[in-house]
Amino acid sequence: MADSTRPLLSDFNSSESNLPPPRSLEETIERCIGDFGWAQFLQAALVSFAWFFDAQQTFITVFTDSQPMWHCDNSDRVDSVCNTSSSNLCTLPNQTWSWDLNPHVSIISEWGLQCAGSFLKGFPASSFFLGCLIGGLALSTLADSSLGRKNMLLLSCLIMSLSSMLTAFSTSIWVYAFLRFLNGCGRATIGTCALVLSTEVVGKKWRGQVGAMGFFCFTLGFLSLPMLGYINEGNSWRNLYVWTSIPTLIYCCLVRSFVRESPRWLIVKGRKEEAVSILQSIASNAITMSFTNLCFEIISGNGGWIRYRRDALIGFTALSGISSALIAVLGQQLGSLQIVLELVSFFSACTAFNMTLIYTIEMFPTCVRNSAISMVRQALVFGGVFSPVMVAAGRENQFWSYGLFGLIIGLCGLFVFGLPETRGSVLCDTMDEEEYKTLAKRQFIGFIVFIASITLLGRIFSRPSKTKDRCRQLPPGRPGWPILGNLPELIMTRPRSKYFHLAMKELKTDIACFNFAGTHTITINSDEIAREAFRERDADLADRPQLSIVESIGDNYKTMGTSSYGEHFMKMKKVITTEIMSVKTLNMLEAARTIEADNLIAYIHSMYQRSETVDVRELSRVYGYAVTMRMLFGRRHVTKENMFSDDGRLGKAEKHHLEVIFNTLNCLPGFSPVDYVDRWLGGWNIDGEEERAKVNVNLVRSYNNPIIDERVEIWREKGGKAAVEDWLDTFITLKDQNGNYLVTPDEIKAQCVEFCIAAIDNPANNMEWTLGEMLKNPEILRKALKELDEVVGKDRLVQESDIPNLNYLKACCRETFRIHPSAHYVPPHVARQDTTLGGYFIPKGSHIHVCRPGLGRNPKIWKDPLAYEPERHLQGDGITKEVTLVETEMRFVSFSTGRRGCVGVKVGTIMMAMMLARFLQGFNWKLHRDFGPLSLEEDDASLLMAKPLLLSVEPRLASNLYPKFRP
Ligand code: HEM
């Protein structure tokens, strides 16, 4: 698997080697791209230029839809009924008047709309704004989700330019209005994408200035229209649409060729390599430009007054509101001062709006930034809908225009009070990061005020009424907020699992109940209650949570592990337990597993020959991957590349496959607050986690599915193979009593992904910790080696058939499971009906979480629980009674038990025991000098060893016993 600790851009760190390692993605990007260079300037300028065309299309109707001047014909005649200043055009006979210019200068004169109602005349403009609203709603999230910033910008500009070109050929007001609607749809997302894309490629210092570039281009676009209008004077309005659409089309080509996608967005989408190459190309051009900087400072006005977003927003909205309100109150008395106040109000409102855009960019993370900006712009359009009404009403009474506007803008500014200052802050990429950052700064006042106010209203109603009957009483828990329950506290505690640990300690309980936005979450630290849950009440608690993320990973709950306890689950469980994991099938696959056990030895031996350091985590993941792939697909290679590598390491594609398998595994639900409000959000990807899961699981599928499709075709269409050779063949060929295939290709594909993510992680984690503990306790290592030498000897390699006799070795694996589980909790079970646990009431739908360290490290269950003592798992003389890795008593968790217990117990046991036995038998291990003192610290959040275990290796057996790599 690719090393997750490797710097993103190793080549670019060299010159900054004296700096501490970057702490965040923002810092990494800042360091890579430097201060501000030509590449960023050109990119920002090109992208911002989109605003120019945006402005042209927004205001073009001022010139094309205006009512032209007209005059009376023969007005010098005494009997003329026409008078330009007093006559109503619509009551005059046609032959008495004419347009001043060619009637084709405006749609009004060309289509004779001068007497049409204001609805028809204003219809094209309204259609345009309606298009802006609908386009903004429909398209804006695409830039955050699938399309990305660049493609969205390109698409929007294309829609806008093509619809503008077609508008030039409109045959009626209706066609014209429809094309303006399309134009509005395209235009809606341009400013948003341009702003987000240009600000995401520069460092925080330049964000404000780059944002201002867009506003500058917008003004230029606006100013270009009178010039075009002047050149076109007396000619058809259609020219204006052609003249504005052609440059936009050329602009699209430039965007396509020269604009680069936002590296932030690519990283959030898991497209790390593309992001790295873009950062590299920016970095290689990152020559600081003092001249451009200077111009830029001048153009964008980097005045001190604009430095603080929040204060500036409050200041400008207040200034605009007060100026406007003064006009409403003092009215006529102001005289010429009114124009000054109007200017101040207009200028302040515009600056406040621009500031809101920059503020929004800095406040929202990459995964939703585009959507957030789009909302701000939608609010602008929404406000624009009311402005004509306010203006009209203001003609009668100034309060309805100046007064109302002053009040609204003044009050809107006050909303900013609860929000944090963002200037110079780090741009976050996910909701989680953003949330964490905000919490760290303790600027959560607005949120707290909100929560506090609903508390006052609803606290009384939120608590379940206490009852003397314990069977109707929930397990102990912390008092919660109304509606959200304990969710705010969960949000504020990192890592999340710590929240339960601290709360249960404080409550002095082994079973607790937390309410997360209406979901009862039951946590268990007692073996007795865990046994009750997974044995006695197992049938009541056999569902899995229905969360969007689980749905994505399980391809709509097609797998056994993600499906609810029902018909489909039963079918998959039957297939897996009686066929896939049957003794017959596992025996058939022994040869495949042995090849990989040999390859493991071959790989380590080749590392010894090259004097390489062994990273135990990486090596054990490679082994787990290779065995799983061979059992599943009959081969360890997903591509032909590196097929014939002679040392056992994975090829590029296989490494990537393994990496995305782990990424998918890491997306499985883990107390993310979003999981609990999932049903309210309707799958809205608020923290980017679901999107990340989708991206990664799709990548896993992109490797698996071609193999599965090819095999399905062989078996189901081309007559099959000579024999069933692996799990995939078994899945494909299974038929029911009626001769119909039992498992569909889609179910096979989903289940293969689940096997990939279920099989590799546990053995690898167990292996790393066991070796670490053995190096720390040499006596334990000595005993394990003694057992191996007695049972197997040194003349042959250990085989699967030896495993039943390696009790001490398995006791070590069990002890590691007990102290060092691979996750904090067993995957959640869900109550299918009201039930009880430990005498407490458990409502239907509750999520049940059995805490692995809560059992394994519990002093009530284990004496001296933190001491690593494999002997506690041996019975009698330690030889006669076979040690197994399953723990049905739930005193710790290995494979769990009951209806939802692991289906891979046999094969999982073989993988773990074989890997450890081959490691120990084949080599002498020593801590590598780079690793430092052996501290065996664990990572709080993941429970992995804090630093990957790095060892030096020497062969322990005669050299002829080390096999060669077999592809
Ligand atoms: C090697 C060590 C392994 C360990 C320690 C392990 C552990 C577990 C645990 C703790 C569960 C959750 C049980 C529960 O929810 O109560 C589980 C479920 C599962 N495991 Fe394993 N597993 C291992 C290997 C495998 C392998 C090799 C496979 C298949 C190739 C596999 C397939 C599954 C599946 C499909 C489930 C979901 C069962 C369900 O929801 O009904 N596991 N495993």
Side-chain angles (χ1 to χ4, degrees), residues 4 9 82 88 109 135 293 298 346 351 369 388 414 491 520 525 535 559 580 618 625 772 799 825 831 848:
S4 57
L9 283 176
C82 176
N88 180 347
S109 46
N293 289 358
I298 294 165
F346 181 71
T351 314
R369 187 170 298 129
L414 299 182
I491 293 173
H520 290 100
N525 275 354
R535 294 203 325 207
T559 67
I580 300 291
E618 197 206 294
Y625 173 80
Q799 301 298 324
Y825 288 88
I848 315 295

Side-chain angles (χ1 to χ4, degrees), residues 534 544 560-562 569 573 576 581 628 727 751 754-755 758-759 762-763 817 826-829 852 893-897 899-905 907-909 911-912:
F534 289 177
R544 293 279 191 213
M560 178 191 162
T562 56
F569 170 81
K573 177 142 191 171
I576 293 173
M581 300 292 175
T628 308
W727 279 340
Q751 195 56 55
E754 184 164 280
F755 276 7
N762 269 300
F817 268 137
V826 174
H829 290 214
R852 298 194 197 194
V893 179
S894 54
F895 296 93
S896 187
T897 187
R899 286 170 172 74
R900 283 287 176 179
C902 180
V903 283
V905 175
V907 71
T909 303
M911 282 165 73
M912 288 173 47

Side-chain angles (χ1 to χ4, degrees), residues 1-2 152 254 310 387 425 458 472 501 590 665 713 884-885:
M1 188 184 152
M152 193 63 229
L254 293 178
R310 189 184 55 176
S387 56
S425 67
R472 297 299 305 171
H501 176 71
E590 184 176 345
L665 177 73
E713 197 186 333
T884 63
L885 299 191

Side-chain angles (χ1 to χ4, degrees), residues 89-164:
L89 192 61
C90 301
T91 55
L92 289 175
N94 277 349
Q95 62 281 12
T96 58
W97 65 275
S98 306
W99 297 110
D100 282 3
L101 298 168
N102 172 352
H104 298 298
V105 295
S106 153
I107 62 159
I108 302 286
S109 46
E110 180 170 328
W111 288 322
L113 299 173
Q114 61 278 6
C115 299
S118 52
F119 168 76
L120 192 62
K121 278 193 212 164
F123 187 55
S126 309
S127 305
F128 176 78
F129 282 109
L130 188 69
C132 291
L133 264 182
I134 293 180
L137 286 175
L139 301 177
S140 62
T141 51
L142 289 182
D144 283 331
S145 52
S146 46
L147 277 187
R149 280 75 164 115
K150 177 185 163 179
N151 288 336
M152 193 63 229
L153 180 66
L154 192 60
L155 179 72
S156 311
C157 287
L158 268 179
I159 297 178
M160 193 175 78
S161 58
L162 291 176
S163 56
S164 169

